[in-house]
Amino acid sequence: MGKGGSVSSKEKSAMSEDATVNTGAGRWPDADSAFFAVRRMQIKLHRWATDDLGRRFGDLFNLVYDPAFLVHAWERVASNAGARTAGIDRATVAWIETRIGVETFLEEIRDSLKSGEFEPVEVRQVMIPKASGKLRKLGIPTVTDRIVQASLKAVLEPIFEADFLPCSYGFRPNRRAQDAIAEIHHLAKARSDYTWVLEADITACFDEIDHTALMARLRVRIKDKRVCALVKAFLKSGVMTTAGDREETPAGTPQGGILSPLLANIALSALDEHFHQQWRELMGTNYKRERRTKHRLGNWKLVRFADDFVVMVKGERHHAEALREEVAAVLAPLGLRLSPEKTRVVHIDEGFDFLSFHIRRMRKRGTNKHYVYTLVSKKAIQSIKDKVKAKTYRSTRHMSLAELIGSLNRLLRGWANYFRHAVAKDVFNAIDSFTWRRVANWIFRKHSLLSRQEMRRRFCRPGTWKIVHDGIELTGAASVKVTRYRYRGHSIATPWTPTPAAATAGG
């Protein structure tokens, strides 16, 4: 795309060629062909956005309803864990596959988008219990709206990834929570010495993002009015409450929508940019940082994962305290505010929780040396215990033991995989011991006349107390190996960053 959003003939040709077909009567591509066509187009969009950071993109809407993008979006929605969850129309992926047919369904979406008749409908509100005992509001869009959101995200994400900064880790391709934890660990260790932490919490971030501010940030990059109107339509689509009442959505982007995390990152990148500018201008070199330290000024860096973030500070407590008001001032134009109760300043020796990990500097056993440790938070431990309790409660005694073991193994393996880079070996063993006791009690209650020795003979591996049934053994969390996570720094490439060989070849 040319300067100011104009499209050159060469770029138009590339967009038309790489977007598979753009006619209504053509055959729909298969999943693999659609994936590669979308990937080629995304690489081009990302390169154009990276090469000119001031470029505004027009003529994007035709990509949103392109068959390749719609097929790719369908594959994503259909393979998602929420495929069996319906919106307000009660249609699920399976229902569409059997009653309508995928191609017919996608053709209807394409025609409505192309004609300008498409309008998103209200999301279905679902209340999810939080660890604190409160409820989190989730908004479940219809499958139709999920398809359009997934296609729209596939168009927008490569463009905005060119702008997003390294300090942001949440809901971004090739980035994960462990990268954010590794960055904190890197900053807090003795050589870096960022030991004061502003632990921040945004009140109801996804519910309170100001639409005007968000759309203004979107339009910095997107010139296509139809794309902007489609994003705004999703923001304003409303909510159907559990009581069956329609509520307007004057602010926020509902949690549960495919597009919502990207929109939240677009809005919150204002915070990233604020701290990045400070870092570049005031602290960007060793000389600048040492000079500030010499004059008793602080240095700081932001680490953000979606709406959860911390500011790591090298200096004194008052430097971190002063940043609280600064952060609040940056968030205010976005319609967001910090929670006074949950926003605090702590020292790394006190420790703090972030993304379900507990990070703290402690003395290494048997030595006088102190190191920064990443542990599993108490809340995360209690949460997995509660889930194990729920699965081994009396309401599950209709299940076979093999079914129960399989279900628990999947739960514990998934949980342990998330924490496998923490100091977690003892925690994994403790969780497995807790789970073993719960399963043993479940067996005794299901078979009321069973003795302890009979239970061992019938339900344990010979010569051990390892519970096994129908060839399925209770392996638990300890089956996941604890390993050290490799700190990747700022070298995390996007999926659309060409390899040096591809770049040389003009790919």
Side-chain angles (χ1 to χ4, degrees):
M1 293 187 183
K3 297 285 184 180
S6 61
V7 184
S8 69
S9 58
K10 183 178 179 180
E11 288 171 342
K12 279 186 177 179
S13 174
M15 292 176 77
S16 176
E17 177 185 344
D18 283 312
T20 317
V21 291
N22 217 1
T23 59
R27 287 172 55 189
W28 287 81
D30 60 68
D32 288 340
S33 299
F35 171 83
F36 288 112
V38 169
R39 178 55 57 93
R40 287 194 300 269
M41 192 66 245
Q42 288 180 320
I43 289 171
K44 284 181 167 56
L45 291 170
H46 185 68
R47 186 175 71 239
W48 294 334
T50 303
D51 288 348
D52 185 354
L53 297 178
R55 181 175 288 170
R56 297 182 68 212
F57 286 75
D59 296 320
L60 293 176
F61 193 73
N62 63 316
L63 292 177
V64 178
Y65 63 75
D66 181 88
F69 276 78
L70 290 177
V71 169
H72 182 64
W74 169 266
E75 290 298 317
R76 171 172 179 177
V77 171
S79 62
N80 191 278
R84 292 178 292 178
T85 306
I88 63 170
D89 62 356
R90 299 298 173 186
T92 63
V93 166
W95 185 89
I96 290 166
E97 289 176 330
T98 56
R99 299 292 184 89
I100 301 176
V102 176
E103 287 195 9
T104 302
F105 177 68
L106 295 181
E107 194 69 60
E108 291 174 357
I109 294 176
R110 186 173 190 276
D111 290 343
S112 65
L113 284 168
K114 195 172 181 181
S115 65
E117 297 174 355
F118 175 81
E119 289 185 9
V121 298
E122 300 90 348
V123 297
R124 181 170 66 88
Q125 189 179 82
V126 178
M127 309 301 285
I128 305 296
K130 297 170 66 175
S132 62
K134 297 181 180 179
L135 295 175
R136 173 183 284 115
K137 296 178 182 178
L138 288 185
I140 309 299
T142 62
V143 175
T144 299
D145 288 354
R146 274 179 260 174
I147 297 294
V148 178
Q149 285 193 31
S151 183
L152 184 56
K153 182 183 179 184
V155 174
L156 295 177
E157 190 172 44
I159 296 171
F160 283 95
E161 274 294 323
D163 299 334
F164 290 158
L165 295 166
C167 63
S168 166
Y169 295 93
F171 302 110
R172 294 182 59 190
N174 290 354
R175 289 168 170 257
R176 54 187 73 95
Q178 285 77 11
D179 288 313
I181 298 299
E183 178 70 14
I184 292 172
H185 195 278
H186 173 74
L187 291 169
K189 65 185 182 181
R191 187 179 299 177
S192 304
D193 205 30
Y194 286 71
T195 54
W196 287 101
V197 184
L198 174 62
E199 184 185 3
D201 183 89
I202 301 176
T203 302
C205 175
F206 280 81
D207 296 331
E208 296 188 3
I209 292 175
D210 183 80
H211 289 173
T212 302
L214 172 57
M215 292 304 299
R217 295 191 65 82
L218 184 80
R219 291 188 183 102
V220 169
R221 274 299 203 172
I222 307 303
K223 187 179 180 181
D224 192 320
K225 292 182 179 180
R226 292 177 298 173
V227 169
C228 293
L230 184 59
V231 172
K232 190 171 184 179
F234 278 117
L235 292 174
K236 299 293 186 182
S237 61
V239 174
M240 189 65 70
T241 67
T242 53
D245 300 321
R246 186 187 189 282
E247 290 183 355
E248 299 292 335
T249 48
T253 174
Q255 292 189 65
I258 292 174
L259 196 60
S260 294
L262 175 60
L263 296 180
N265 270 334
I266 291 172
L268 289 171
S269 60
L271 190 65
D272 306 342
E273 292 164 6
H274 174 81
F275 281 98
H276 179 72
Q277 182 179 357
Q278 285 188 337
W279 177 265
R280 188 179 66 249
E281 294 177 356
L282 303 176
M283 316 165 205
T285 65
N286 284 331
Y287 172 76
K288 288 181 178 180
R289 291 192 293 274
E290 289 171 2
R291 184 182 176 87
R292 287 178 63 84
T293 300
K294 184 178 179 180
H295 289 83
R296 301 183 66 82
L297 300 173
N299 296 305
W300 50 81
K301 287 200 82 172
L302 172 74
V303 180
R304 183 175 68 82
F305 190 96
D307 58 330
D308 292 323
F309 65 92
V310 294
V311 183
M312 306 295 295
V313 179
K314 181 177 182 178
E316 300 177 14
R317 184 185 184 97
H318 68 87
H319 295 132
E321 291 285 2
L323 291 173
R324 188 196 305 253
E325 295 302 318
E326 192 172 314
V327 169
V330 175
L331 294 177
L334 302 172
L336 302 175
R337 52 201 168 87
L338 292 175
S339 167
E341 301 81 16
K342 297 181 181 179
T343 300
R344 63 187 187 126
V345 171
V346 297
H347 193 272
I348 194 68
D349 291 346
E350 301 174 59
F352 64 98
D353 289 354
F354 188 63
L355 304 179
S356 297
F357 292 90
H358 182 74
I359 304 167
R360 187 177 180 184
R361 188 171 65 183
M362 297 182 290
R363 183 177 61 84
K364 185 177 181 179
R365 186 180 303 172
T367 72
N368 288 323
K369 295 182 178 180
H370 287 72
Y371 296 93
V372 177
Y373 289 91
T374 301
L375 312 168
V376 183
S377 72
K378 291 181 179 179
K379 284 185 178 179
I381 294 172
Q382 188 58 52
S383 175
I384 193 64
K385 284 184 175 181
D386 291 343
K387 290 177 181 177
V388 170
K389 280 183 181 179
K391 284 186 177 292
T392 54
Y393 199 60
R394 59 188 174 193
S395 59
T396 65
R397 287 180 204 156
H398 65 281
M399 300 171 63
S400 70
L401 179 57
E403 288 177 317
L404 176 67
I405 292 173
S407 177
L408 286 169
N409 281 344
R410 288 189 296 273
L411 172 69
L412 294 174
R413 195 181 306 116
W415 182 83
N417 269 321
Y418 181 80
F419 292 105
R420 71 186 185 276
H421 302 299
V423 181
K425 185 176 180 180
D426 290 344
V427 172
F428 288 178
N429 288 330
I431 293 298
D432 285 354
S433 296
F434 173 83
T435 303
W436 189 95
R437 292 193 299 272
R438 293 291 306 184
V439 174
N441 287 335
W442 184 91
I443 293 171
F444 283 126
R445 283 171 171 76
K446 185 166 184 173
H447 306 276
S448 56
L449 300 179
L450 200 67
S451 69
R452 186 176 175 84
Q453 290 304 317
E454 182 71 9
M455 178 265 193
R456 184 179 184 183
R457 185 183 66 81
R458 288 178 55 184
F459 300 108
C460 294
R461 189 174 294 283
T464 73
W465 283 99
K466 294 181 177 179
I467 297 175
V468 60
H469 193 64
D470 289 345
I472 302 177
E473 182 178 322
L474 181 63
T475 54
S479 64
V480 175
K481 185 179 179 180
V482 175
T483 61
R484 186 170 184 175
Y485 191 75
R486 182 175 62 87
Y487 174 60
R488 299 195 288 169
H490 294 170
S491 62
I492 306 174
T494 74
W496 316 290
T497 303
T499 61
T504 303

